[in-house]
């Protein structure tokens, strides 16, 4: 590398000789190219050599025709050399070779030997270019997708063990299902619902992470007044100024206290296209939802003579379908599903996916193939998402099959167990939340009805061996959630559940306080059980670089830390716990059974959370 | 590039007495070889390389004997002169002449190995261009890039005298009489447009199974060690049965057996099948095919063909022999073999010029023999001559057209598996189409070679005609039949000229006088070269058959235009 740089300096020196005539420069360049070429002939995987060549060529004056010839030679010798492929893209760019021509080159290379990641990858890059530039025959994308599916099918069927084709297939599937723009998928409160609180959170949930949600892009209208003091903030721990879910708090102004006036609130997209996906695609489809607020003043002031809330079986009874709570959930669900504009998935997409499903079912009928099963699982999920003609009844036909596929994969391919497990969990939750009937099986009533903290009902997703959670857009209403006795290692996304007041995460695999970071956003949280996890059990937390540090001062309650921290020992755990719990107002916390917890830490928590009534089952005074 | 000796020989007389015969000096050699066919030429080259003094004679004016490539007219006259001719046995009373110096001279006669020669000419213009053809007597033949002949050319440095081009495509006739591409490699399977996806998977899975087996064997695993290596029991099983055991459907099975392993006899014929291929051998054939694909960077497929015809191969070895000191005399018939009167041992030969040359050993191509009455008369003679017997028959056909089978495909191989043309077709019929880019015919014309193993001439001709009917339309007018040139259907090439003949198969025989084998029915020369190297090892057990040379430049570059020179 150093030698190459030295050559660059020498090259500059030679070039800057007085009166450089073009012949002279050309001879210098040719000499450089010759040196690089001989180096590449010895080792054509040398980063330095390829880079130097690129540098020399970018000086101009050299024949790119010759470069193409050289590339043809090298790429014939080693068809998968990604340096050569990179360099080829560079030269193709310089020479303005059409993408179609280069696409043909990848076809030829793949025809010679389809076991070539680089060629498939270049193909996807070129097709993306062609699609972007809307070149005739490549836009819209359904024009080429069908052919490409057939092309790659030849590779995948000929040798299912060769992964390069599968990767390309994944790219195609992604292109097929990708919704062109972000859209609103759900909200709290849902459309048509009735809220009986005067101050409540509003959550809008998009199909992907977006930025630019603000006063101008989202209009909030109470009766006929458009509110001008709304501040939207993203519910996302890691990303800056963007998120899939956005939050604001509304306080419905009511002038006539004690009256039973009902306010109509309407939230709709503003006229600008300011809400954008992270790739810059605007959410251009108009959306709106409306709900009513009955302005009853809160009847029971909170925080009086609280008993410990226990989330064990004996404290629950199964829900009765005809109970009030269930009825309201039922309505809520209908509404939730009913009124958001779903982008109409084109017919070609569902046809394409359906045909792919048939093909891969056939392949799996004679070949035991891990990546084939995974692809089929993904295709089936894509299919489910596609054929949702009526959003009220999402199609869940293939769920059992998908779950079965992931279960098989966990056994077949232990090396990727965690990935399959996570996918399995996400699909399972999708299935659970797909309809009110399926969800009802997991809803339990609190026997004690006077607990207004928890609400009447608890969603109990315990003992399901979940390793991840998802489908938050369908859980925005949940106040009380039991996720105990699972294998959760992350609760990412949970921050969207703004009504959550009672959460049981005991007996999971959460490895650090930072894994609890989403809790930071759950300002209504009163009861939390994180006992018997693995907090502090793993000495090195690889996610640490993502979290806020004592020096970053992103938290608004920094000063408090100075007061409560005693300034010694396990500062890291203390800080992390502080960053998660510092902003919460917990009344009950169970944290026993974690490596990080010792006496000193318990004292620290007690100081940190002055509102705490119960800590690990002991009443505090 | 080798020049063609045959190109200059036009209408040479095969009668020796019109030619002047210069005396040969010296008169004693380690080895005399009569005939310049491929086996004889290889023995001559190997013996010369091993330091023997060799005299190589041929009564013809061209190299190659039964392995030669000839002009159209030469081919006709060669077939006719090498046919059984009752007149040759007329002067039987002169067969034995006793010389004064204790020797017996036994006259040689030509044993005709061709019969049933049928020449049909539908278009006179073909014969007018006779000299622009270079027709193989032993077609169809190709080399597999990794086969023994290529190895031997590289080992002997004979490769510098001959260039190759690859055969563009190969097709196999499916059950419905349609020609489909032979998906012979992973990338061919990938590209194929006719196979179903399931068939692609089955075929490639089988290729992988074989590959895994070969790698397993290489790394020393034995059958049953792990799932990779095919068990000993399976290796002994008939290949056809093994393919069935692997659940390959009939179509795939037929492709593997006949179009890749190049099996001759119907493997489904059960008890009546003359030659059941064992799995072990079937796998070897697949291995040969697959190691041939992509062996040379500028040869795309497995098969290559020498420019100017197969006759270039014996010539290349002759040149190699000449470099090593072998003496060549063409147009020099040998009229008799000399034996020592007392012992009956071989002593030498008497040339048509009357000169007697002695040698320790004699190799002859099998078309020379003595009459059968001899062996009865003189017991000693049978000690010297172990006359090879006819072990089988082959029907061969050469056809000339003005258009190729498939547009844009200049050369291709076509396989008709057993029963694909008619119900009692017992053996595979193989067809090789060559174009003028191989310098074997005038531009705008195409040569087709057809061959099939047969029990008798009737059966052989039936097979040839079936193939010809399926491939060509027979032009009665002499020009392309314009009335049938429908745009929608693929027009069959019109047959302009054809030669059909039956060739005897005679295996090589070891003895004091060595007899070389006649061309066999295979596509490549592997069996012939195995037999040849066995003959050589028997003759000279202490000498190496082409020692490994320091010739490291084994890049047998084929003439190809795709390679752009980068070196400055």
């Amino acid at each position: 590398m150093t030698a190459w740089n030295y050559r660059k300096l020498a090259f500059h020196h030679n070039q800057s000789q007085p009166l450089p005539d073009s012949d002279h420069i050309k001879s210098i360049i040719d000499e450089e190219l010759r040196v690089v070429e001989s180096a590449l002939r010895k080792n054509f995987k040398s980063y330095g050599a390829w880079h130097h060549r690129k540098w020399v060529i970018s000086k101009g004056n050299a024949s790119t025709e010759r470069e193409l010839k050289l590339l043809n030679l090298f790429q014939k010798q080693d068809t998968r050399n990604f340096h050569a492929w990179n360099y080829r893209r560079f030269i193709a760019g310089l020479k303005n070779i059409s993408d179609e021509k280069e696409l043909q080159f990848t076809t030829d290379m793949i025809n010679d030997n389809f076991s070539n990641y680089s060629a498939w990858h270049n193909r996807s890059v070129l097709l993306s270019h062609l699609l972007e530039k809307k070149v005739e025959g490549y836009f819209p994308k359904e024009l080429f997708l069908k052919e490409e599916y057939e092309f790659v099918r030849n590779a995948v069927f000929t040798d299912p063990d060769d992964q390069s084709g599968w990767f390309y297939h994944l790219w195609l599937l992604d292109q097929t299902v990708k919704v062109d723009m972000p859209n609103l998928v759900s909200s709290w409160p849902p459309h048509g619902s009735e809220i009986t609180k005067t101050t409540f959170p509003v959550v809008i949930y998009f199909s992907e992470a977006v930025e630019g949600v603000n006063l101008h892009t989202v209009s909030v209208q109470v009766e006929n007044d458009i509110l001008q003091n709304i501040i939207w903030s993203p519910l996302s721990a890691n990303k800056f100024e963007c998120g899939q879910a956005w939050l604001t708090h509304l306080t419905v102004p009511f002038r006539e206290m004690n009256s039973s006036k009902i306010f109509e609130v309407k939230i709709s997209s503003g006229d600008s296209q300011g809400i954008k996906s992270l790739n810059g695609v605007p959410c251009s489809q108009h959306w709106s939802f409306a709900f009513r607020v009955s302005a009853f003043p809160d009847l029971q002031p909170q925080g009086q003579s609280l008993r410990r809330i226990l989330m064990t079986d004996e404290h629950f009874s199964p829900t009765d379908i005809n109970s009030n709570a269930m009825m309201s959930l039922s309505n809520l669900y209908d509404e939730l599903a009913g009124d958001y504009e779903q982008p109409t998935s084109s017919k070609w997409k569902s046809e394409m996916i359906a045909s792919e499903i048939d093909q891969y079912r056939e392949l799996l009928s004679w070949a035991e193939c891990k990546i084939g099963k995974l692809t089929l699982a993904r295709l089936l999920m894509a299919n489910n998402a596609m054929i949702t003609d009526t959003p009220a009844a999402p199609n869940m036909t293939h769920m059992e099959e998908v779950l079965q596929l992931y279960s098989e994969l966990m056994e077949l391919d232990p090396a990727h167990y965690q990935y399959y497990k996570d996918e399995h969990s996400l699909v399972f939750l999708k299935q659970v939340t797909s309809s009110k009937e399926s969800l009802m099986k997991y809803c339990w009533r609190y026997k004690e009805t006077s607990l207004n903290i928890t609400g009447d009902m608890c969603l109990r997703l315990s003992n399901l061996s979940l390793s991840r959670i998802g489908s938050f857009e369908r859980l925005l209403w949940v106040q009380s959630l039991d996720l105990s006795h699972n294998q959760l290692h992350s609760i990412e996304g949970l921050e969207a559940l703004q009504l959550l007041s009672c959460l049981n995460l005991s007996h999971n695999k959460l490895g650090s306080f930072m894994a609890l970071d989403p809790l930071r956003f759950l300002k209504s949280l009163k009861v939390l059980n994180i006992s018997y996890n693995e907090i502090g059990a793993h000495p090195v937390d690889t996610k640490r670089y993502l979290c806020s540090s004592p020096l970053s001062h992103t938290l608004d309650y920094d000063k408090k830390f100075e007061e409560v921290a005693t300034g010694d020992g396990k500062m890291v755990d203390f800080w992390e716990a502080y960053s998660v719990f510092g902003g919460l107002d917990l009344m009950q916390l169970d944290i026993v059974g974690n490596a990080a917890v010792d006496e000193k830490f318990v004292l620290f928590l007690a100081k940190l959370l002055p509102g705490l009534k119960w800590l690990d089952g002991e009443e505090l005074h | 590039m080798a020049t063609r000796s045959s190109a200059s020989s036009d209408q040479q007389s095969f009668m020796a007495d019109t030619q002047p015969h210069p005396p040969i000096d010296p008169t004693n050699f380690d080895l005399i070889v009569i005939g310049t066919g491929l086996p004889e030429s290889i023995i001559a080259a190997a013996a010369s390389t091993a330091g023997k003094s060799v005299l190589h004679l041929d009564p013809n004016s061209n190299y190659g004997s039964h392995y030669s490539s000839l002009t159209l007219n030469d081919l006709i006259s060669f077939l006719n002169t090498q046919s059984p001719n009752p007149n040759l046995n007329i002067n039987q009373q002169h067969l034995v002449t006793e010389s004064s110096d204790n020797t017996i001279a036994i006259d040689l006669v030509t044993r005709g190995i061709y019969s049933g020669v049928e020449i049909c000419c539908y278009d006179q213009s073909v014969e007018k261009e006779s000299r622009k053809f270079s027709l193989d007597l032993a077609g169809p033949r190709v080399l597999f890039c990794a086969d023994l002949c290529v190895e031997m050319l590289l080992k002997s440095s004979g490769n510098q005298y001959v260039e190759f081009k690859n055969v563009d495509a190969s097709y196999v006739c499916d059950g419905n009489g349609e020609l489909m591409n032979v998906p012979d490699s992973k990338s061919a399977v990938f590209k194929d447009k006719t196979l179903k996806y399931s068939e692609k998977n089955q075929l490639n899975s089988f290729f992988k199974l074989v590959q895994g087996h070969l790698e397993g064997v290489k790394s020393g695993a034995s059958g049953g060690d792990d799932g990779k290596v095919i068990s000993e029991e399976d290796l002994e099983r008939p290949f056809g049965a093994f393919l069935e055991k692997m659940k390959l459907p009939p179509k795939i099975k037929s492709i593997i057996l006949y179009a890749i392993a190049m099996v001759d006899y119907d493997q489904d014929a059960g008890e009546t099948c003359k030659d059941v291929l064992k799995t072990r051998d079937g796998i070897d054939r697949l291995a040969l095919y697959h190691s041939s694909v992509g062996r040379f960077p500028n040869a795309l497929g497995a098969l290559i063909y020498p420019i100017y015809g197969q006759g270039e191969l014996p010539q290349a070895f002759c040149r190699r022999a000449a470099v090593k000191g072998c003496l060549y005399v063409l147009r020099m018939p040998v009229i008799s073999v000399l034996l020592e009167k007392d012992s009956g041992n071989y002593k030498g030969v008497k040339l048509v010029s009357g000169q007697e040359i002695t040698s320790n050993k004699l190799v002859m191509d099998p078309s020379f023999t003595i009459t059968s009455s001899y062996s009865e008369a003189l017991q000693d003679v049978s000690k010297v001559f172990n006359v090879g017997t006819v072990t089988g028959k082959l029907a061969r056909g050469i056809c000339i057209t003005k258009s190729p089978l498939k547009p844009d495909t200049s050369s291709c191989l076509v396989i008709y598996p057993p029963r694909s043309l008619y119900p009692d077709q017992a053996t595979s019929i193989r067809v090789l189409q060559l174009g003028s880019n191989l310098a074997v015919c005038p531009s705008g014309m195409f040569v087709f070679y057809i061959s099939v193993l047969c029990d008798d001439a009737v059966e052989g001709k039936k097979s040839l005609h079936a193939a010809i009917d399926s491939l060509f339309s027979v032009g009665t007018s002499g020009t392309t039949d314009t009335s049938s040139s429908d745009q929608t259907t693929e027009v069959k090439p019109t047959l302009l000229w054809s030669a059909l003949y039956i060739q005897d198969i005679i295996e090589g025989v070891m003895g004091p006088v060595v007899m070389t084998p006649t061309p066999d029915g295979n596509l490549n020369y592997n069996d012939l070269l195995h037999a040849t190297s066995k003959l050589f090892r028997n003759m000279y057990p202490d000498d190496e058959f082409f020692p490994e040379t320091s010739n490291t430049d084994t890049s047998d570059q084929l003439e190809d235009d795709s390679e752009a020179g980068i070196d400055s």
Side-chain angles (χ1 to χ4, degrees), chain B residues 69-218:
Chain B
S69 303
L70 300 169
T71 68
L72 194 129
N73 289 335
D74 285 354
L75 179 97
I76 296 170
S77 57
F78 189 86
L79 287 175
N80 287 327
T81 55
Q82 298 282 320
S83 295
N85 187 344
N87 297 332
L88 276 174
N89 289 342
I90 281 176
N91 39 3
Q92 274 200 356
Q93 61 271 33
H94 299 299
L95 283 176
V96 182
T97 38
E98 286 197 32
S99 308
S100 52
D101 55 348
N102 195 24
T103 50
I104 316 169
I106 301 170
D107 287 0
L108 286 178
V109 292
T110 303
R111 162 158 69 175
I113 64 164
Y114 304 107
S115 59
V117 179
E118 270 178 66
I119 313 279
C120 296
C121 182
Y122 307 97
D123 186 338
Q124 301 300 324
S125 67
V126 174
E127 289 188 344
K128 280 189 198 120
E129 302 213 65
S130 161
R131 296 178 59 175
K132 289 187 180 165
F133 287 97
S134 179
L135 301 177
D136 298 342
L137 270 170
R141 261 187 207 280
V142 290
L143 279 70
F144 291 55
C145 288
D147 73 7
L148 206 52
C149 192
V150 171
E151 286 321 310
M152 223 172 259
L153 280 168
L154 293 174
K155 237 173 131 183
S156 67
S157 305
N159 58 314
Q160 54 189 298
Y161 305 113
V162 54
E163 289 180 62
F164 296 91
K165 279 198 175 188
N166 64 276
V167 176
D168 297 337
S170 61
Y171 304 103
V172 60
C173 182
D174 65 9
N176 311 318
E178 296 291 320
L179 295 184
M180 60 172 286
N181 268 301
V182 177
D184 51 9
S185 65
K186 183 173 156 183
S187 70
V189 172
F190 169 71
K191 277 186 278 191
D192 193 275
K193 300 256 190 289
T194 53
L195 289 174
K196 282 187 265 175
Y197 293 111
S198 57
E199 293 170 331
K200 291 188 172 208
N201 185 265
Q202 288 162 328
L203 193 52
N204 194 63
S205 299
F206 188 73
F207 289 165
K208 279 169 76 176
L209 177 93
V210 171
Q211 207 178 353
H213 168 75
L214 293 170
E215 279 164 12
V217 168
K218 218 176 180 179

Side-chain angles (χ1 to χ4, degrees), chain B residues 268-316:
Chain B
D268 287 332
E271 296 286 300
T272 60
C273 178
K274 275 191 187 152
D275 186 11
V276 177
L277 185 74
K278 277 186 189 169
T279 301
R280 185 187 305 281
D281 302 319
I283 288 191
D284 283 347
R285 293 195 188 190
L286 249 64
L288 169 66
Y289 200 105
H290 282 152
S291 50
S292 294
V293 176
R295 167 159 192 211
F296 302 118
N298 50 358
L300 296 172
L303 312 178
I304 52 177
Y305 184 89
I307 298 173
Y308 298 104
Q310 295 290 344
E312 292 300 299
L313 296 176
Q315 242 186 107

Side-chain angles (χ1 to χ4, degrees), chain B residues 320-338:
Chain B
R320 218 37 231 164
V323 167
K324 298 287 182 185
C326 175
L327 184 63
Y328 275 87
V329 184
L330 295 188
R331 296 183 208 92
M332 181 63 87
V334 172
I335 55 166
S336 51
V337 174
L338 305 174

